Amino acid sequence: MKRTRRFGSWAIGSAIIATILAAGAGMASADTTGSSTAGTNGISSSGAGSEAGGQSPMGSDVLGQTVATPSVIDVSNTYPTIGERVTYSASGLVPKQTYRVLWEAFQGTWDVDGNTFVGESYTPFVKVLGTVTADANGEVHGVLRVPTGYGDIHQIGLADASGIVAAQGSVTVKPSFTISRTRESEGGFFTIRVQGIGYGAYSSAYEVLYDNHLMGNIAAVTTNGTAVFQVRAEGIGSHLIEIAPCSIGSPYLNEQQSPYSWKPTFSIPVTVTKGHPVDVKDSIPAPSISTGNHLIASPGHGIVGSTFTLTGQGLPANESLTLEWSNTVGNHVTAAGYHSAQTVLGHVTTSSTGTFTVKIPVPVNVGGPPHTVEAVDPAGTIVGTTTYQIYPSLVSAPKVVKAGQVFTIHLQGGGPDTYDNCYSVLYDNSSIGYACGFNTNGDMQIQIRATGGPGIHYIDLYPTIQQGNQKVPNLYVLPLLTYKLDHPGEAQPAFHLVIDVQS
């Protein structure tokens, strides 16, 4: 039975463990060695992790079936980072017995249910890091390198050839970061990589600040605990980027007094130099063909206002057909709710060989998941289908505005789902709000007031999550800065704009 951790609850089984242990002998023996090295932070031991940051009792089945009284694995560093070497030891084992070194790992997913964001979930599995052999006294002394993966508590164990765990311990993996460079010209981007983001409700999200202004969230749910994101170089001079723990929608400023006091806050001084800032817009995927049943859309995706060629083949001859696609209309916040609908794209008549070719302009409709394109005969029978996907696009934005002026940034192609229907807005690297286009067929006309004095200012529009079932961590309506690699639902671009505020 599959065992999934969904922030605090376990459904426990062991089939996956047995499978991995059976294959373990061929896995990554170089990740651990049988030689001793000097410890760095003293010697301690601990058991399997729990959501509250405490310890599970020895003898649990996290790594598999155990002996009646497992030995304790002592580790030199209880709080290592990814890639760090940890010295471990255990006694009371069978002399000259070879053991597999086990590591509790996780696979993360974003869970959605139709239009609704459900939350994050993490499925544990066992990774075999290598082998170690007990000496004549039944003791082992080895070194393991913390593998790339999620932070938080990980149980480690020593299993014999039959898969029985003879010794257990744990480490708590802390996040660490690197930055591409600490000097960047204005309008450019600092690229930051954080490893070891956790799998727990109170360890899986961090927030980013720029000179004490809240920018947004970072996550690493589907990227194995590694978050890669960018921060706009805004304002010539010295600045401070901070990455702080969060759980309920705001940075936690006294984490050192929390049950998760091991979680760090990173402070990164940076310098912004004179440059020539320009607009930067993410590109959508390269054109590709969408082939369905008797219908082909070329390309199979695009933006509102573009065109695509729809080709029909193998259809009834000399037949009048209505071309339409599925759509979702409504909203998530009123009693009226939302419902599916059909948008008519046009009408065609097939040839004597049952074919047609027509160019279709992409109407103002929601983006998100692909639309199902249908060819319908006069009797209402669907005789052909394919898909076409709309990506969000920037329609217009001013380049020059007056101080105090309210101006409009126009987007189209917002989705219908609570995880793709909104964009969150930064003004000079400070979060100012969000916009939703579901109620207006994916159209967003975002109202912003020009502030900050005359000169160059920056507006960044990021994908976000509007709402959902998950309570902790709260990732809602703030920019999800890791959107490129880790975001529920369909891929969405970000838009980075420059405006000149004049007096």
Side-chain angles (χ1 to χ4, degrees):
M1 180 176 63
K2 181 179 177 183
R3 183 183 61 168
T4 299
R5 172 175 287 185
R6 190 185 301 276
F7 293 145
S9 64
W10 285 102
I12 299 176
S14 58
I16 190 170
I17 294 172
T19 301
I20 294 174
L21 287 178
M27 299 180 62
S29 61
D31 285 344
T32 180
T33 63
S35 60
S36 297
T37 59
T40 56
N41 294 334
I43 303 296
S44 63
S45 63
S46 55
S50 69
E51 285 300 327
Q55 312 298 332
S56 298
M58 292 295 187
S60 71
D61 70 344
V62 172
L63 298 178
Q65 182 180 351
T66 68
V67 297
T69 306
S71 297
V72 173
I73 298 176
D74 293 317
V75 294
S76 60
N77 183 359
T78 310
Y79 297 98
T81 56
I82 299 295
E84 189 171 346
R85 291 179 177 272
V86 175
T87 300
Y88 64 91
S89 62
S91 59
L93 302 171
V94 178
K96 303 299 183 179
Q97 174 73 57
T98 296
Y99 296 89
R100 296 176 184 142
V101 181
L102 308 183
W103 177 268
E104 180 190 20
F106 296 87
Q107 176 69 49
T109 60
W110 294 105
D111 291 340
V112 299
D113 182 8
N115 296 91
T116 301
F117 173 69
V118 175
E120 309 165 27
S121 64
Y122 298 85
T123 300
F125 65 95
V126 179
K127 182 179 290 188
V128 180
L129 300 184
T131 60
V132 66
T133 301
D135 63 19
N137 297 318
E139 298 179 355
V140 297
H141 302 274
V143 178
L144 64 83
R145 184 187 295 274
V146 177
T148 299
Y150 300 95
D152 215 324
I153 300 175
H154 292 262
Q155 187 170 336
I156 55 178
L158 301 178
D160 63 21
S162 63
I164 303 300
V165 177
Q168 288 180 306
S170 74
V171 296
T172 300
V173 178
K174 299 196 305 182
S176 58
F177 82 92
T178 57
I179 185 169
S180 57
R181 52 185 171 272
T182 57
R183 293 181 66 87
E184 181 59 75
S185 59
E186 57 180 329
F189 295 88
F190 299 102
T191 300
I192 299 172
R193 178 186 179 91
V194 180
Q195 288 187 295
I197 291 178
Y199 57 80
Y202 293 93
S203 65
S204 67
Y206 280 72
E207 289 182 327
V208 181
L209 299 96
Y210 191 87
D211 291 341
N212 276 348
H213 293 277
L214 180 58
M215 288 189 63
N217 296 304
I218 61 172
V221 178
T222 61
T223 52
N224 200 25
T226 296
V228 179
F229 63 99
Q230 293 185 310
V231 174
R232 196 84 175 268
E234 184 276 319
I236 297 173
S238 298
H239 299 275
L240 186 67
I241 299 171
E242 292 184 282
I243 305 170
C246 72
S247 55
I248 56 175
S250 186
Y252 194 177
L253 301 183
N254 67 324
E255 186 70 46
Q256 79 283 357
Q257 292 179 302
S258 81
Y260 297 86
S261 57
W262 52 267
K263 288 169 31 181
T265 294
F266 302 117
S267 297
I268 312 170
V270 296
T271 301
V272 178
T273 60
K274 179 67 176 176
H276 303 283
V278 297
D279 292 349
V280 179
K281 305 164 195 173
D282 289 342
S283 58
I284 65 173
S288 61
I289 294 175
S290 175
T291 301
N293 180 26
H294 299 296
L295 297 183
I296 299 172
S298 179
H301 62 263
I303 63 175
V304 171
S306 65
T307 61
F308 68 97
T309 299
L310 186 66
T311 302
Q313 300 173 339
L315 297 166
N318 304 312
E319 184 74 271
S320 295
L321 302 176
T322 298
L323 305 177
E324 57 190 31
W325 71 19
S326 61
N327 193 24
T328 305
V329 297
N331 62 75
H332 293 282
V333 295
T334 68
Y338 56 89
H339 61 276
S340 60
Q342 297 297 114
T343 298
V344 175
L345 302 176
H347 302 273
V348 296
T349 300
T350 61
S351 69
S352 59
T353 58
T355 65
F356 73 84
T357 298
V358 63
K359 285 191 175 295
I360 296 179
V362 178
V364 177
N365 260 194
V366 294
H371 296 261
T372 299
V373 183
E374 300 173 340
V376 185
D377 70 12
T381 302
I382 298 171
V383 295
T385 63
T386 188
T387 60
Y388 186 89
Q389 184 170 11
I390 296 176
Y391 283 90
S393 61
L394 174 69
V395 179
S396 62
K399 299 300 295 180
V400 179
V401 295
K402 294 289 187 181
Q405 172 188 344
V406 175
F407 60 93
T408 300
I409 295 177
H410 189 187
L411 302 182
Q412 288 181 326
D417 308 312
T418 60
Y419 44 90
D420 60 24
N421 62 343
C422 292
Y423 268 79
S424 192
V425 183
L426 300 180
Y427 189 99
D428 289 343
N429 277 353
S430 181
S431 176
I432 63 169
Y434 73 99
C436 178
F438 185 22
N439 192 56
T440 47
N441 238 356
D443 188 85
M444 288 174 266
Q445 299 180 29
I446 305 169
Q447 309 291 295
I448 300 174
R449 187 177 297 276
T451 62
I456 295 297
H457 294 271
Y458 301 90
I459 298 171
D460 299 273
L461 300 103
Y462 282 95
T464 185
I465 303 170
Q466 182 196 29
Q467 58 180 302
N469 297 347
Q470 177 172 292
K471 303 303 181 185
V472 180
N474 181 340
L475 301 173
Y476 304 127
V477 303
L478 285 174
L480 187 54
L481 302 179
T482 46
Y483 71 99
K484 279 189 178 181
L485 299 175
D486 191 43
H487 186 277
E490 305 296 329
Q492 293 179 282
F495 306 96
H496 308 282
L497 310 178
V498 179
I499 60 169
D500 183 4
V501 176
Q502 298 184 350
S503 57

